[in-house]
Amino acid sequence: MGFSANETGSSARATRAERFAADREAVRRVIGFGISDEEFDQAPDVLGDIWGIVTDKARGFPARSASPGS
């Protein structure tokens, strides 16, 4: 039995949302105080920046410089 592209996409989005929620809860436990989802959304995308650096290095691009607000 196959899945339609829409069903597969919905499933992937639901899985991603569950992982996001679990990651945020883990951060809340580690830092020891509550932080709202809105505060998470306003925070810099540190993990995204790290993945960008790793991708650049793997492709042989010059190193990125750390810039505030990115």
Side-chain angles (χ1 to χ4, degrees), residues 30-65:
V30 169
I31 63 175
F33 61 89
I35 182 171
S36 70
D37 285 343
E38 291 79 20
E39 290 169 314
F40 269 109
D41 292 340
Q42 293 172 1
D45 185 9
V46 175
L47 187 56
D49 291 344
I50 292 169
W51 276 111
I53 292 167
V54 170
T55 301
D56 288 352
K57 286 184 178 251
R59 292 181 179 157
F61 293 150
R64 294 181 183 203
S65 61

